């Protein structure tokens, strides 16, 4: 189960990075696009990196961290879609 949980976190991290980069590409020329895109990419990169650091990966397994991660991920995805 731990392996599939880490895979889910990794896919979520990849998703945020991809959405942020797509946002950057399709809004090229808009004022503030880099900041908005980095708001999405950076948390995704942090999430992805934390799955390979054993101490952080262990913390990702708690139910509270899972709930916070899902909530923040959904908020960032909604932010990316709406902006």
């Amino acid at each position: 189960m731990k392996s599939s949980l880490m895979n889910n976190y990794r896919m979520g991290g990849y998703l945020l990075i991809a959405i942020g980069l797509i946002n950057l590409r399709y809004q090229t020329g808009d004022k503030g696009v880099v900041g908005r895109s980095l708001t999405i990419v950076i948390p995704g990169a942090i999430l992805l990196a934390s799955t390979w650091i054993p101490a952080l990966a262990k913390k990702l397994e708690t139910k509270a961290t899972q709930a916070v991660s899902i909530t923040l991920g959904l908020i960032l995805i909604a932010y990316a879609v709406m902006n």
Side-chain angles (χ1 to χ4, degrees):
M1 176 164 143
K2 292 179 184 179
S3 175
S4 66
L5 180 61
M6 285 304 119
N7 284 338
N8 289 340
Y9 276 120
R10 287 180 184 142
M11 290 300 114
Y14 287 131
L15 174 68
L16 291 174
I17 292 169
I19 289 173
L21 293 176
I22 290 168
N23 186 45
L24 178 64
R25 171 63 182 101
Y26 283 102
Q27 293 186 19
T28 300
D30 286 355
K31 187 175 182 176
V33 69
V34 173
R36 291 191 309 267
S37 294
L38 287 177
T39 301
I40 303 163
V41 170
I42 290 173
I46 291 170
L47 178 61
L48 185 60
S50 66
T51 63
W52 280 294
I53 301 171
L56 293 176
K58 186 155 182 79
K59 292 193 185 293
L60 290 174
E61 294 174 3
T62 66
K63 292 289 184 188
T65 305
Q66 290 174 23
V68 169
S69 298
I70 290 170
T71 303
L72 289 176
L74 291 173
I75 289 170
L76 287 169
I77 291 169
Y79 172 73
V81 170
M82 287 191 247
N83 90 54

